[in-house]
Amino acid sequence: MAKQDLLDRLYAQVANEEDARTCTDISDAACREVPGNFFRIICANTLTKIGDLLINPKTVLAWLITAVGAPSYLAALLVPIRESGSLIPQLMIGALVRRYPVRKGFWTLGAALQGVAVLAMAAAVWLLEGMQAGLTIIGLLVLFSISRGFCSVAMKDVQGKCIPKSRRGRLTGLSATLSGAITFALSLVIFRGGEDPSMAFYGALLASAGVAWLVAAAVFFTVDEYPGASEGGNNAFKEALASLSLLKTDAPFRRFVITRALLMASSLASPFLLLVAQDQAALPLLLGSLVLSSSLASTVSATVWGYMADTSSRNVMVRGGGLAALVCLLAGGLAAWGPQADWLHWLYPLAFFVLAIAHAGVRIGRKTYMVDMAGGTKRTDYTAVSNTVIGVLLLVVGGLSAAVATLGNDWALLVLGCMGGVGVLSALSLNEA
């Protein structure tokens, strides 16, 4: 009882809660469990976000691929597999998850499988080498990404049933802020010198990430979720195709998917900004400063974005997308036509920091908008359809931006900046959720 009273008081402080009137879109029974569920979900989210940094495919896994003696071209597969591998299967996953009235078990299963996959990567680093080690890491990343798809579909539905509409943005924001602060501290340790840590240290990072996901799975399984709407069916593929028809029949949802597709420029721009910066600074200093910038950006901005999203998630997408487009256009223009001077080197970590803040706003805004715009079974359908479509488009747009980059990474930034600007205009056309 004392523990519950403490959670109630903490939740009242965090959520600025004076009464239960905010529970307008969840049941009375679920409303009574909100304080405990709020912090359980934050804890699970924070642990997985820490794990995400520890196996970041742009840094840790890319370094490991070459360190174990595998061909460097395998590193180019990491980010597409990590992102699209978790998004494309979600139509099928959503059709499966939709059949069950209680869905926290799918998130628990997905997190546990991610933990097992990462622990197996750590074992591969110790026991294998060369192409064998590289292909093993790639294969385990496929398992990791598909498992992540279960978490993505289930989380939005569980959160929608357990957390009131006006408190979901700050939950996502607080999770990102806590994980950002922790990963910022970890980054200071990892990059405190001018050289890469040893292989043993990276193996320990992988093992720590695996344990983080397993603990997150155990925490999330304690969430008090009440049964919700469910729909059965004998053929998951037919159900998936039926869900895909939402793009044709549901105009507000279609506009949201188009907007989300255009705003993914905020995530695609990061590698090109890093490549532009590599031409200007020494790699060890640059890599450490960019990782620190990303962690610090999440720490200082995510909670602010989260509280803003509880007022208007659409406006958060507009502001985050606009800021990202501005950074891309300025950085691309500076690289293409700006002067060459030593003092300009430090503008790129700053630009990366601002871009990370903008991307945090886009992510929190569109996640909150997604959960708020639908209820019941439709929330699962929306999540699965949008993620599957975005997964395919990530591969397409990623390939197109890579083609543009043959003209120069600065041109890729300029194109992505224009794409983000169109996304802002599209976000302005959305209805408030």
Side-chain angles (χ1 to χ4, degrees):
M1 182 63 69
K3 180 180 178 181
Q4 184 61 44
D5 290 341
L6 176 61
L7 289 176
D8 290 342
R9 290 196 297 271
L10 286 174
Y11 176 73
Q13 292 295 320
V14 171
N16 192 26
E17 189 97 335
E18 296 180 355
D19 54 37
R21 285 177 294 177
T22 56
C23 294
T24 57
D25 61 331
I26 63 176
S27 68
D28 291 339
C31 189
R32 289 191 292 270
E33 305 297 337
V34 166
N37 285 337
F38 187 87
F39 290 107
R40 292 184 191 104
I41 294 175
I42 280 184
C43 181
N45 276 345
T46 300
L47 286 167
T48 59
K49 289 179 185 298
I50 292 171
D52 279 334
L53 175 83
L54 297 181
I55 66 156
N56 190 330
K58 298 175 185 177
T59 53
V60 178
L61 290 187
W63 185 91
L64 281 175
I65 286 290
T66 56
V68 298
S72 59
Y73 66 79
L74 289 181
L77 302 175
L78 294 172
V79 173
I81 289 175
R82 162 69 170 73
E83 298 298 331
S84 297
S86 64
L87 294 175
I88 293 175
Q90 287 192 22
L91 266 180
M92 298 295 291
I93 292 173
L96 173 64
V97 171
R98 191 175 55 209
R99 300 177 182 179
Y100 295 85
V102 175
R103 297 161 186 173
K104 67 178 183 180
F106 288 100
W107 197 97
T108 301
L109 173 64
L113 288 176
Q114 287 177 85
V116 170
V118 175
L119 289 174
M121 287 182 194
V125 168
W126 284 105
L127 302 176
L128 304 175
E129 61 182 18
M131 177 66 84
Q132 189 178 20
L135 291 178
T136 300
I137 292 174
I138 293 292
L140 289 169
L141 187 61
V142 172
L143 172 62
F144 175 91
S145 298
I146 293 174
S147 303
R148 190 179 185 85
F150 281 94
C151 292
S152 179
V153 172
M155 171 59 80
K156 292 179 177 64
D157 190 69
V158 173
Q159 183 177 319
K161 289 196 293 180
C162 296
I163 305 298
K165 177 179 289 190
S166 60
R167 298 297 179 263
R168 294 165 189 160
R170 65 196 67 187
L171 183 150
T172 305
L174 285 170
S175 298
T177 293
L178 287 173
S179 60
I182 295 171
T183 53
F184 179 76
L186 289 174
S187 299
L188 286 175
V189 174
I190 294 171
F191 297 102
R192 65 183 182 276
E195 300 178 355
D196 282 319
S198 66
M199 178 71 76
F201 187 80
Y202 275 92
L205 282 183
L206 289 174
S208 299
V211 171
W213 264 292
L214 293 177
V215 175
V219 170
F220 199 84
F221 192 69
T222 64
V223 169
D224 291 313
E225 178 192 1
Y226 286 84
S230 64
E231 288 184 6
N234 295 322
N235 191 314
F237 183 70
K238 288 183 178 179
E239 292 179 21
L241 291 179
S243 297
L244 196 59
S245 67
L246 284 171
L247 292 171
K248 179 180 180 181
T249 61
D250 193 326
F253 175 64
R254 182 173 61 249
R255 288 198 300 270
F256 168 76
V257 173
I258 292 172
T259 300
R260 181 181 173 185
L262 292 167
L263 291 179
M264 67 185 181
S266 66
S267 64
L268 292 173
S270 296
F272 297 109
L273 183 57
L274 185 146
L275 291 172
V276 166
Q278 278 184 357
D279 297 333
Q280 307 284 335
L283 181 59
L285 174 62
L286 173 68
L287 188 58
S289 65
L290 295 184
V291 172
L292 287 170
S293 295
S294 180
S295 300
L296 182 61
S298 179
T299 303
V300 301
S301 70
T303 298
V304 176
W305 285 126
Y307 276 78
M308 290 171 62
D310 284 334
T311 301
S312 174
S313 52
R314 185 199 68 165
N315 287 343
V316 168
M317 286 191 286
V318 170
R319 291 164 183 164
L323 187 60
L326 182 62
V327 170
C328 291
L329 293 173
L330 288 177
L334 183 65
W337 302 294
Q340 299 296 315
D342 290 340
W343 64 271
L344 288 175
H345 298 172
W346 294 104
L347 288 182
Y348 292 104
L350 177 61
F352 201 87
F353 173 74
V354 178
L355 181 62
I357 288 178
H359 181 57
V362 171
R363 290 183 72 250
I364 290 173
R366 56 101 171 158
K367 284 185 175 183
T368 306
Y369 192 93
M370 167 73 76
V371 176
D372 287 350
M373 75 183 296
T377 300
K378 185 175 287 189
R379 184 180 291 120
T380 304
D381 292 338
Y382 277 11
T383 302
V385 172
S386 65
N387 283 349
T388 299
V389 171
I390 294 300
V392 173
L393 291 178
L394 271 170
L395 294 177
V396 175
V397 179
L400 291 175
S401 58
V404 172
T406 59
L407 302 175
N409 294 308
D410 47 358
W411 282 101
L413 283 175
L414 291 170
V415 170
L416 289 172
C418 294
M419 174 179 164
V422 177
V424 171
L425 295 177
S426 181
L428 287 170
S429 71
L430 296 176
N431 298 322
E432 290 285 1

